[in-house]
Amino acid sequence: MYAIGYTQHRPLNDPDSLQGFDLPKPQPTGHDLRVRVNAVSVNPVDLVGFQRDAPAPDQPAILGWDAVGVVDAVGPAVTLFAPGDAVFYAGDFSRSGSDADYQLVDERIVGPAPQKLSVAQAAAMPLTSLTAWEALFEQLGIDPHANNQGKTLLVINGAGGVGSVATQLAHWAGLTVIATASRPETIAWTRAHGADTTVNHRQDLVPQVRALGHQYVDYILELSNLNQHWSEIVDLIKPSGKIVSITGSEVPLDLQALKQKRATFAWEWMFTKAWFHTDDLQTQHATLTTISHLLDQGVLQSTLTKTFQPFTAEQVRAALQLVATHKMMGKAVIQR
């Protein structure tokens, strides 16, 4: 099979940073699906993967953790899918990625692909949807089916991949959504994707949120530069409120600052369940099934904004360079 990857680290602008390889077609075992990949979306985690230790020359690293395709073969323990099924998934960070003709993925982290979306539109959604869903409904503990009227969520970086889905899901769940955006085009995008109001993350968030009539917010979803916004988060979170972040921290966080408010802080990493084979691994199948239905019903919109074709090392590199600017709205997809 054809796959795109690397055997040594080079700058992204180097023409040899990513190359095509002819590799053996993988064989499914256990709960594996072998998927014929039709489109792959690009995420910041691809850049993280690209910076990991270089593999051996005869075992190139294959990136890509967001895909849509068709099941080609199944392992002996598979019960959820059959050959010929159209699927979408974010995959497993500990396994070879989806920048290949075929990929193995555990059926328990796979969902049925939306039927009313294009291949590229569907490929844009799994990783960001899973991240947003787990952050909101698992880590923050929001019940999407409860009466959430009057509850407020602050989303820091509303125009990014995860933010664009989180604002939609939070709006669907009935929360008042305040999202950050700084440019006219990102403000418009964020409002079009579920935010009730926006504030500028290039300015102090505290007076802006309070000018909207909110002394505190019930929940905060942090998606960009946790250290920069930490003092604002501490100030704005409601007593007994909840905070979740996906971005990591360059320096130790002052969690003691949350003690007086008895606020809760949590991390979200969408790959945790697959990485550690947790007991609730199959919840990702259930979540993606729900996301697929919401997309087909028009409750959620695909966040696709840029499609690259054909599936070549040059196109994958161009998509990665675009994501590396950290300025794009929505998602980029490479389609066959």
Side-chain angles (χ1 to χ4, degrees), residues 238-261:
K238 186 176 181 179
S240 298
K242 295 183 178 181
I243 306 155
V244 64
S245 173
I246 71 168
T247 61
S249 176
E250 297 171 0
V251 297
L253 291 177
D254 180 17
L255 293 178
Q256 184 74 18
L258 299 176
K259 182 178 180 181
Q260 188 176 26
K261 286 186 173 178

Side-chain angles (χ1 to χ4, degrees), residues 74-293:
V74 300
V78 168
T79 61
L80 299 174
F81 297 97
D85 288 343
V87 296
F88 73 156
Y89 54 90
D92 181 344
F93 198 63
S94 66
R95 304 185 74 174
S96 186
S98 43
D99 290 347
D101 288 341
Y102 296 91
Q103 181 185 18
L104 297 181
V105 60
D106 191 303
E107 62 170 342
R108 293 167 292 186
I109 59 173
V110 174
Q115 298 179 8
K116 297 183 179 180
L117 273 64
S118 69
V119 166
Q121 289 173 325
M125 297 306 292
L127 187 148
T128 52
S129 296
L130 281 169
T131 301
W133 184 283
E134 291 182 358
L136 295 175
F137 305 136
E138 296 181 11
Q139 299 300 71
L140 290 180
I142 299 169
D143 181 351
H145 305 296
N147 180 4
N148 291 308
Q149 185 175 3
K151 298 288 187 180
T152 51
L153 168 72
L154 173 63
V155 179
I156 298 176
N157 190 20
V162 176
S164 300
V165 182
T167 51
Q168 294 185 72
L169 286 174
H171 180 79
W172 167 68
L175 285 88
T176 297
V177 184
I178 306 166
T180 76
S182 62
R183 308 192 308 270
E185 60 270 29
T186 57
I187 292 170
W189 170 274
T190 303
R191 292 294 296 269
H193 287 79
D196 295 290
T197 53
T198 61
V199 291
N200 190 338
H201 47 242
R202 299 189 185 280
Q203 301 170 12
D204 190 343
L205 297 177
V206 177
Q208 295 180 78
V209 171
R210 290 184 174 153
L212 296 173
H214 304 283
Q215 180 68 16
Y216 303 116
V217 295
D218 298 278
Y219 308 101
I220 297 177
L221 172 57
E222 193 288 312
L223 305 173
S224 175
N225 204 328
L226 178 60
N227 295 118
Q228 175 185 328
H229 296 294
W230 182 246
S231 63
E232 298 162 307
I233 289 169
V234 170
D235 203 342
L236 287 171
I237 193 64
K238 186 176 181 179
S240 298
K242 295 183 178 181
I243 306 155
V244 64
S245 173
I246 71 168
T247 61
S249 176
E250 297 171 0
V251 297
L253 291 177
D254 180 17
L255 293 178
Q256 184 74 18
L258 299 176
K259 182 178 180 181
Q260 188 176 26
K261 286 186 173 178
R262 202 184 67 164
T264 300
F265 176 82
W267 297 111
E268 165 58 23
W269 194 49
M270 188 230 73
F271 294 109
T272 295
K273 294 175 183 178
W275 186 280
F276 292 101
H277 297 278
T278 60
D279 293 339
D280 60 349
L281 179 66
Q282 196 162 318
T283 59
Q284 293 201 336
H285 165 70
T287 296
L288 284 174
T289 300
T290 300
I291 293 294
S292 181
H293 292 326

